[in-house]
Amino acid sequence: MRALLTGLFMAAVLATPATAQPAPDRAAAFAQLDPIFQAFAAERHVPGLVFGVVVDGQLAYVKSMGVQDTVAKRPVTPDSVFRIASMSKNFTALAVLKLRDEDKLSLDAPAETLVPELKGLKYPTTDSPKIRVRDLLNHTGGFVTDDPWGDRQLPMSETDFSRFLKAGVPFSRPPAMAMEYSNFGYALAGQVVTNVSRQPYDAYIQARILRPLGMTASTYDVGKVPVERLAVGYRWEDEAWVEELTLGPGVFGAMGGLAVSANDYAKYVAWVLSAWPPRDGAEDAILKRGSVREIVQGSNFPALVPRSDKTDPAACDRARVYGMGMIVLADCVLGPHFTHSGGLPGYGSNVLFLPERGVGVFAFANRTYAGASPAVRDAAILLVKSGAFPARMTPPSPALTQAAAIVAKIYAVGDVMAARDGLAMNLLLDSDAPHRNAELGQLKAELGACQPAPDIAAETAMSARISYACERGRLQAQVLLAPTTPASLQVYTLSAAK
């Protein structure tokens, strides 16, 4: 690896060997993943697959199944190279963000200033805004959804792409009106990288992202993959596997041309997850942590994903928005997470990130549009429900520690005015001292005296759930600080938990 990976944090993230044994409780959870992917492979007629789980910066579990080619019957291994199709989009988005950080482009610049052929576009309405670079990354350029047409364009040359643009491209709607998935839009994003960096997009991504991460087996040209390591792509047709035609490389590879191994891809997953949580400390030279976290920022066109099993009371709907090469979701089981699938003739893949837990799950298969996302999601749900991968706690800020002391003092004295200097000006206007003190009296009669040392579960640096051990149960407090210096309590609520 290049020197830029010698920063203290990345050294800690990537130095742990993949062969390290997981803790016993995690091992039990990992053991339950195999049947999920075995069932997926059987149901979807997959010749071979590999899946992995990255935890706290290491490939904690990896398992391969089946064969990477049906003739020589070479078994799939963690070093087998699969095409990951649209999971390539995130690498293109990260490349654009890197060029932005180098002050070489603006996300809000009209894309036509960087791809001159777009100046001839005929927009659908006279009031259509011009397509921005940001719109290409968020799929809000107004282009029509182009699966599977876009998959067949992988070999298109830059010359042919320029000719294609000059001929004019129809719109599905005006730009910046809604999210509509566009492989063509990401081919344009790749052209932005090519034109701004003055080298082919794939060369830029290889040099500035893949190689620094140590992803030496990864390539946009599967023709360069040694035959003994290549997972050949197949479709299932007439009860048999039929080899698919190899496509690319070309301009459309920016939307779906990358090929990786599980061992390589785990390094990328670990690196992306290392951007969470926000913190002080040295940055690596690939991309700032704050810039990596931008991949989960969408353009505010949310959608609802209904739960698939209406009879399961534990299932829930999901909120969804498209970020930058990532689909960003939140639900009642996984909490905030982001994911992306990949599908090409011969391949199907998926990755899912749980940033608050430091966990990533991915799977690659060598069957056309294998649809790995349900299996990956089921695996992530199993890991979360196992309890072995808890959400990482945010340390309480000094202001929250002080707020906990203020609440403890108010409770001990039984009078909100005992900490008058720590209250924001609104607090006693929202509920006066006599009413608050009456509540305190009722709680003290129920719980008795409480210990001043609390458990603080920080939600942000300015809000927390606080719990105090008492003689007859626990006192629960929810606090929210005001934007004042010094910090002051703008909201606190108290309740008893026996």
Side-chain angles (χ1 to χ4, degrees):
M1 291 187 185
R2 291 171 57 181
L4 56 83
L5 281 185
T6 60
L8 293 177
F9 184 80
M10 284 305 296
V13 166
L14 296 179
T16 306
T19 56
Q21 295 298 314
D25 56 344
R26 292 184 171 184
F30 291 147
Q32 297 180 62
L33 301 183
D34 292 6
I36 293 175
F37 290 96
Q38 288 167 349
F40 159 70
E43 179 182 336
R44 301 293 293 168
H45 301 288
V46 171
L49 67 85
V50 62
F51 72 91
V53 182
V54 173
V55 183
D56 295 332
Q58 72 172 38
L59 182 57
Y61 188 74
V62 62
K63 188 67 174 286
S64 54
M65 303 174 182
V67 296
Q68 63 181 30
D69 67 272
T70 61
V71 177
K73 299 191 183 303
R74 296 182 182 90
V76 174
T77 76
D79 288 317
S80 298
V81 177
F82 290 76
R83 304 190 82 165
I84 59 171
S86 286
M87 287 160 59
S88 309
K89 289 181 171 67
N90 190 234
F91 291 85
T92 301
L94 290 166
V96 172
L97 289 169
K98 184 169 182 64
L99 290 167
R100 187 279 313 274
D101 284 1
E102 295 171 350
D103 293 325
K104 294 179 180 178
L105 61 81
S106 167
L107 295 185
D108 292 315
E112 67 181 31
T113 63
L114 305 174
V115 183
E117 293 92 334
L118 294 178
K119 292 180 180 179
L121 279 181
K122 178 176 174 54
Y123 285 89
T125 62
T126 58
D127 63 354
S128 294
K130 290 187 175 182
I131 298 168
R132 302 167 298 172
V133 175
R134 185 184 304 277
D135 294 319
L136 301 178
L137 303 184
N138 291 156
H139 290 303
T140 54
F143 302 122
V144 67
T145 297
D146 54 358
D147 285 335
W149 174 86
D151 296 341
R152 298 292 180 177
Q153 310 310 312
L154 282 177
M156 187 181 291
S157 69
E158 191 168 339
T159 299
D160 288 342
F161 189 57
S162 178
R163 187 181 300 115
F164 177 81
L165 294 178
K166 290 177 180 177
V169 180
F171 282 83
S172 178
R173 69 186 84 226
M177 288 294 294
M179 179 267 170
E180 186 167 359
Y181 194 84
S182 173
N183 291 305
F184 167 62
Y186 260 82
L188 283 172
Q191 196 64 27
V192 167
V193 175
T194 295
N195 292 349
V196 173
S197 69
R198 299 185 179 181
Q199 60 182 308
Y201 72 88
D202 54 333
Y204 181 83
I205 293 172
Q206 291 266 11
R208 306 301 290 274
I209 299 176
L210 301 182
R211 294 299 175 259
L213 284 174
M215 297 176 65
T216 55
S218 301
T219 179
Y220 284 85
D221 185 354
V222 293
K224 296 181 178 179
V225 179
V227 65
E228 63 272 13
R229 294 180 59 191
L230 178 64
V232 178
Y234 299 90
R235 68 178 182 271
W236 181 252
E237 186 175 75
D238 298 330
E239 300 301 311
W241 288 309
V242 179
E243 184 174 342
E244 291 276 20
L245 178 68
T246 299
L247 301 174
V251 172
F252 270 74
M255 71 82 186
L258 186 58
V260 303
S261 69
N263 281 331
D264 255 17
Y265 193 72
K267 299 171 185 177
Y268 153 79
V269 174
W271 174 70
V272 169
L273 286 169
S274 74
W276 281 267
R279 61 193 179 277
D280 296 329
E283 302 269 12
D284 68 62
I286 302 175
L287 197 62
K288 295 184 296 184
R289 291 188 293 272
S291 296
V292 174
R293 293 194 295 270
E294 286 186 57
I295 64 176
V296 301
Q297 295 179 14
S299 291
N300 298 314
F301 297 104
L304 181 68
V305 183
R307 55 181 177 168
S308 56
D309 186 354
K310 298 293 186 181
T311 66
D312 182 2
C316 55
D317 297 339
R318 289 179 283 165
R320 181 184 69 189
V321 68
Y322 198 93
M324 299 180 183
M326 283 293 170
I327 300 168
V328 187
L329 304 111
D331 65 31
C332 65
V333 179
L334 297 181
H337 57 287
F338 53 99
T339 183
H340 212 287
S341 290
L344 276 177
Y347 301 93
S349 54
N350 184 259
V351 63
L352 189 150
F353 295 83
L354 298 166
E356 293 187 345
R357 300 173 189 271
V359 173
V361 185
F362 64 88
F364 312 144
N366 59 341
R367 206 221 77 177
T368 298
Y369 306 135
S373 58
V376 170
R377 177 173 168 79
D378 286 347
I381 290 173
L382 188 151
L383 295 178
V384 168
K385 289 185 174 181
S386 75
F389 307 88
R392 294 178 289 201
M393 300 298 293
T394 301
S397 64
L400 287 177
T401 302
Q402 179 62 27
I406 291 172
V407 172
K409 181 178 181 180
I410 289 172
Y411 182 85
V413 176
D415 184 358
V416 68
M417 300 304 292
R420 181 67 183 87
D421 291 344
L423 309 180
M425 56 81 62
N426 68 285
L427 192 132
L428 293 177
L429 295 174
D430 299 335
S431 180
D432 61 23
H435 286 89
R436 291 185 181 275
N437 290 343
E439 177 190 43
L440 287 168
Q442 293 173 357
L443 287 169
K444 293 192 73 170
E446 181 178 355
L447 297 175
C450 298
Q451 297 294 323
D455 294 325
I456 305 176
E459 297 164 337
T460 71
M462 302 289 281
S463 65
R465 290 171 284 108
I466 306 172
S467 178
Y468 306 81
C470 308
E471 293 176 317
R472 295 183 293 278
R474 297 191 71 87
L475 175 67
Q476 305 285 350
Q478 182 77 39
V479 302
L480 177 65
L481 301 180
T484 59
T485 302
S488 56
L489 279 174
Q490 65 166 312
V491 174
Y492 81 81
T493 58
L494 302 177
S495 60
K498 294 184 179 180

